[in-house]
Amino acid sequence: MDFESKIISREVSQLLWEREKTVSTAESCTGGRIAEALIAIPGASKYFKGGIVSYTDEVKERLLSVDHSLLEEKTAVCEEVAKAMVKGACSALNTDYAIAATGIAGPGGGTKDIPVGTIWIACGTPDSVRTLKVSEDFGRDINLAIATNKAMQLFCDFLNEEEGERTENEPEESIFGKK
């Protein structure tokens, strides 16, 4: 794991520790790499419950409750499936948050409409999911490394922005207590 990834993993770890929240993963093309980034920091067992590597549509349907008609209509490589994977992982693994990835890492498998290097990343809660599309092809290994790093950064940003929203909605503290 590169230095930048370690920094992001450490920040995610600290935020989850402080909030006493849990996370899971639902990964297709990344095959467990996001889970690996989450457990790279000692103490991850406090907040990481597990992951589902859903490489096939069958597993996405059976374990993550992704709708069969959605997969048929839009394919597994779309924003809607990535969102459904987040919600499905939160439900299946009973976590507060989940991170998901679905795409075509290469070298083959791409089409004119969905070329190699197209990867949808999602993270969030059952009620609030953020997505990001990665769409450049740098070869399988680099595509997977980029997707993993972007997934961790997206989740870190999500947690930080969620904290900012929570802070804004809380009454200000003064020496006399809450205002």
Side-chain angles (χ1 to χ4, degrees):
M1 179 180 284
D2 64 40
F3 184 69
E4 181 182 350
S5 297
K6 272 259 200 228
I7 291 170
I8 296 167
S9 293
R10 187 165 305 282
E11 186 173 352
V12 165
S13 172
Q14 184 176 346
L15 291 166
L16 291 170
W17 262 84
E18 289 169 358
R19 295 178 194 177
E20 298 182 355
K21 298 288 186 177
T22 57
V23 66
S24 58
T25 59
E27 300 182 66
S28 186
C29 62
T30 51
R33 286 169 178 83
I34 298 168
E36 181 182 22
L38 285 166
I39 62 108
I41 305 303
S45 60
K46 180 170 186 212
Y47 54 83
F48 181 69
K49 283 194 171 184
I52 296 172
V53 176
S54 55
Y55 219 67
T56 65
D57 288 356
E58 175 192 1
V59 175
K60 287 175 183 71
E61 289 177 45
R62 291 181 69 216
L63 297 181
L64 296 171
S65 301
V66 175
D67 188 83
H68 177 77
S69 59
L70 174 62
L71 290 162
E72 279 194 342
E73 181 185 326
K74 297 238 179 175
T75 80
V77 185
C78 69
E79 182 177 27
E80 294 84 355
V81 168
K83 286 180 175 182
M85 289 170 68
V86 166
K87 294 174 183 182
C90 286
S91 176
L93 296 165
N94 191 31
T95 56
D96 301 299
Y97 305 102
I99 307 169
T102 183
I104 303 171
T111 66
K112 180 179 167 264
D113 293 330
I114 307 172
V116 170
T118 304
I119 300 172
W120 278 98
I121 299 162
C123 69
T125 68
D127 300 321
S128 177
V129 180
R130 177 177 294 166
T131 61
L132 175 70
K133 181 181 180 183
V134 176
S135 58
E136 291 189 58
D137 180 19
F138 296 101
R140 183 178 183 81
D141 291 340
I142 294 173
N143 291 347
L144 294 173
I146 288 170
T148 300
N149 284 345
K150 291 210 178 266
M152 290 297 290
Q153 186 63 60
L154 184 70
F155 184 53
C156 188
D157 293 345
F158 180 88
L159 291 173
N160 281 318
E161 288 172 22
E162 186 182 61
E163 177 66 21
E165 289 169 14
R166 206 167 51 233
T167 304
E168 286 175 15
N169 294 329
E170 291 178 1
E172 289 183 42
E173 293 280 337
S174 75
I175 59 170
F176 303 107
K178 293 188 180 193
K179 290 183 182 177

